[in-house]
Amino acid sequence: MANTMRYHIEHIEEVWKDNAEQWLSLADEAGAPHLTFRDFKWAVTLLQTRCFKVTWTDSTVLIPVGDLINTAAKTNLDWSTTLSENGSVMFTTSEDIGEGVELVDNYCGGHANDAVWYAHGFVMDDNPVPAKQLLPIFVEELQLPLAQD
């Protein structure tokens, strides 16, 4: 798994480098010359880690407030991948939610922590899906390239 992760991290870095000039040129053409390549990386990361897969488009979407929902093995809400009659997304709770209680959904989709780390950049303490083994030294090794620009 470490070699697979290393390969993907290196590949992503190559894609960033290969496209940096083009993306900065597009920003300039769009009237946003102050945007940096770091801004592009932030935006792509934001979209990839906070988007929802829905049925009304082939793309993933951002849902206002929905991107604030965290994940846990035991959820306390559900949401529909289809639009309601008035064109909105419905979030419903599966139990009475008290004031100050965090809303959580299992958006990690029953994946082990190695896949959760790869897709979302974190691991779940209470993840019931067993992983092969994510060693502490591996976590440290992965965090170094992610902390650098």
Side-chain angles (χ1 to χ4, degrees):
M1 184 180 102
N3 287 335
T4 301
M5 293 291 285
R6 188 175 292 111
Y7 167 80
H8 286 292
I9 289 170
E10 289 170 0
H11 176 72
I12 290 167
E13 287 298 321
E14 287 176 26
V15 170
W16 288 126
K17 288 175 187 172
D18 291 346
N19 293 288
E21 188 175 316
Q22 178 187 4
W23 291 337
L24 292 173
S25 175
L26 288 171
D28 192 46
E29 290 172 20
H34 62 281
L35 290 178
T36 66
F37 188 60
R38 184 176 180 180
D39 295 325
F40 279 103
K41 288 187 353 180
W42 171 84
V44 168
T45 302
L46 178 90
L47 290 172
Q48 290 178 335
T49 60
R50 291 172 174 81
C51 59
F52 287 78
K53 181 69 180 149
V54 293
T55 58
W56 69 85
T57 180
D58 290 334
S59 302
T60 55
V61 298
L62 286 174
I63 298 174
V65 183
D67 64 321
L68 299 174
I69 297 168
N70 284 323
T71 193
K74 183 178 184 294
T75 67
N76 61 7
L77 66 87
D78 193 19
W79 64 281
S80 174
T81 60
T82 59
L83 290 174
S84 67
E85 288 181 19
N86 67 359
S88 62
V89 175
M90 299 293 294
F91 289 93
T92 56
T93 60
S94 53
E95 57 192 55
D96 288 337
I97 305 294
E99 184 177 332
V101 174
E102 181 178 33
L103 296 177
V104 291
D105 180 31
N106 188 357
Y107 58 76
C108 294
H111 294 288
N113 274 337
D114 52 352
V116 174
W117 172 266
Y118 181 74
H120 300 286
F122 66 88
V123 294
M124 295 172 50
D125 289 336
D126 61 345
N127 191 342
V129 181
K132 293 179 182 175
Q133 187 171 13
L134 195 57
L135 300 172
I137 189 72
F138 178 61
V139 172
E140 290 172 20
E141 182 181 327
L142 285 174
Q143 287 175 340
L144 290 174
L146 295 174
Q148 300 171 357
D149 285 337

